[in-house]
Amino acid sequence: MQAVVLAAGEGSRMRPLTETVPKPMLPVADRPLCAHTADAAVDAGIDELVVVVGYGADAVRAYFDDTYRGVPVSTVVQGTQRGTADALRAAAARLDGPFVVLNGDNLYDSEGIAALVDALPAVAAIEVDNPRHYGVLSTTPDGSRVTGIVEKPADPPSSLANAGAYALPERALEWLDVDESDRGEYEITDVLARAIEGTAVTPITLSRWLDVGRPWELLAANEWKIDGVERRIDGEVHANAELRGDVVVESGATVDAGVTVEGPVIVRSGADVGPNARVRGATLVGEGCRVGHGVEIKNSVLMSGAAIPHLSYVGDSLLGPGVNLGAGTQVANLRHDGEDVEQTVKGERVSTGRRKYGVVAGADAKTGVNTSLAPGVVLGAGARTAPGESVTRDRT
């Protein structure tokens, strides 16, 4: 059985984090996002991975190389990102027999993907409270067979949302000549619709799933995967540092005197924490990061090379590669009215659904000393703030 991992997208809704890093390669715990997708496939018994690449293709190729966890890997290029069915077309020549298709920016429970493989032909689903925002499956009265799929219906036929994972017979490769959708793409859901017409497709309800399309969902992805880490101390930890709970300190990382780390936390290779810092919540301190004296970090993601050297607070935030926060930078992560924090995504103000949410900073953004950043603020790649500035609007 082969699995196609769709990892070609640019991730425009994830900007500014994806200005320098392709979305499938954004960090989730100790590996890229798309590696968790590959893990679910390998754990389900997949024999070969076919990874569809596009934007940032070289980074994805370099990570997977020719094998992943002992499973052969091949990559194919989707030259222009024109939808999921178009991505499957790019992979078609590499496929021989029934296959699985997984979105490389989704997190799945491994048991659900194993059940999907066993039930082929099948589609993964997730129970949701408001199915109007999803592609929704309709089923037979006993729930054993899918009878249709409709995108964002005003009157949903069920509460089963399409979870972007499919197990299809080889003949599905003959159904890729789908029409362009209203949004100008070729959709794999139209391929699924043909499968539903011609065969019995089983719905497999996942116990857990996450579509990682916007920055706060990357934060949620790290909360999920970091929460599952097991304590491991391979790096250098000062005798006067205190590590509580499930903390990972990778080889080559340093935790200095006076530091308190309250798990679950991952401190990656080459990172340097302290002295006298506090790190807590589901926090990722990425490779080569610097967390200095008097800094407190809570429930945040620091991508490679980010630095918070002195006397700062960062909560519920995402810092891109090479970000540097000047001494005394303070991130606010809670609105005074207690409402959910909003963020601007592709020009539209959107609720994050999170009561606590800080800032998103793109690669190499820098703040002046004593900068104050309001909840939901976005700093674009290379953005700058002045010393003592209070930033309440996005800065590009």
Side-chain angles (χ1 to χ4, degrees), residues 64-291:
F64 284 105
D65 200 10
D66 296 327
T67 61
Y68 181 76
R69 291 180 52 191
V71 173
V73 177
S74 60
T75 58
V76 296
V77 177
Q78 183 186 19
T80 302
Q81 284 71 64
R82 297 184 299 173
T84 48
D86 182 66
L88 185 53
R89 284 180 200 154
R94 301 289 182 93
L95 302 176
D96 181 18
F99 58 93
V100 173
V101 182
L102 302 173
N103 287 333
D105 57 0
N106 286 188
L107 296 182
Y108 307 95
D109 71 89
S110 296
E111 296 80 6
I113 300 304
L116 184 82
V117 172
D118 290 342
L120 184 148
V123 56
I126 189 78
E127 291 271 3
V128 295
D129 293 332
N130 190 353
R132 292 178 179 84
H133 299 305
Y134 300 88
V136 181
L137 305 178
S138 56
T139 67
T140 54
D142 64 358
S144 65
R145 179 176 176 177
V146 179
T147 57
I149 181 169
V150 58
E151 286 294 324
K152 300 180 179 178
D155 184 18
S158 77
S159 59
L160 288 179
N162 176 18
Y166 315 89
L168 298 170
E170 184 178 18
R171 66 179 179 276
L173 298 176
E174 302 171 6
W175 306 333
L176 298 180
D177 58 337
V178 296
D179 294 331
E180 191 175 73
S181 69
D182 291 340
R183 61 178 185 171
E185 295 188 353
Y186 300 96
E187 313 281 1
I188 199 170
T189 49
D190 291 330
V191 179
L192 175 65
R194 293 193 184 183
I196 292 168
E197 292 173 1
T199 187
V201 175
T202 302
I204 299 297
T205 303
L206 305 180
S207 61
R208 196 168 185 183
W209 168 83
L210 181 62
D211 180 12
V212 186
R214 298 167 296 188
W216 57 90
E217 290 157 352
L218 181 63
L219 202 59
N222 275 276
E223 290 166 351
W224 174 354
K225 294 300 181 179
I226 293 175
D227 188 53
V229 302
E230 295 182 0
R231 185 181 176 95
R232 189 179 81 251
I233 311 301
D234 295 328
E236 181 181 344
V237 178
H238 195 281
N240 291 330
E242 183 178 4
L243 308 184
R244 304 174 185 168
D246 291 323
V247 176
V248 172
V249 180
E250 293 185 348
S251 176
T254 301
V255 179
D256 210 337
V259 171
T260 299
V261 182
E262 304 170 31
V265 168
I266 299 176
V267 182
R268 300 220 59 196
S269 177
D272 183 8
V273 181
N276 305 315
R278 184 186 185 198
V279 182
R280 60 190 176 97
T283 290
L284 170 64
V285 181
E287 295 179 349
C289 286
R290 172 80 178 100
V291 177

Side-chain angles (χ1 to χ4, degrees), residues 21-54:
V21 178
K23 182 167 70 168
M25 296 302 293
L26 290 172
V28 174
D30 61 350
R31 67 201 69 178
L33 172 58
C34 63
H36 292 278
T37 309
D39 286 336
V42 173
D43 291 344
I46 289 297
D47 302 307
E48 181 184 352
L49 296 169
V50 180
V51 182
V52 182
V53 297

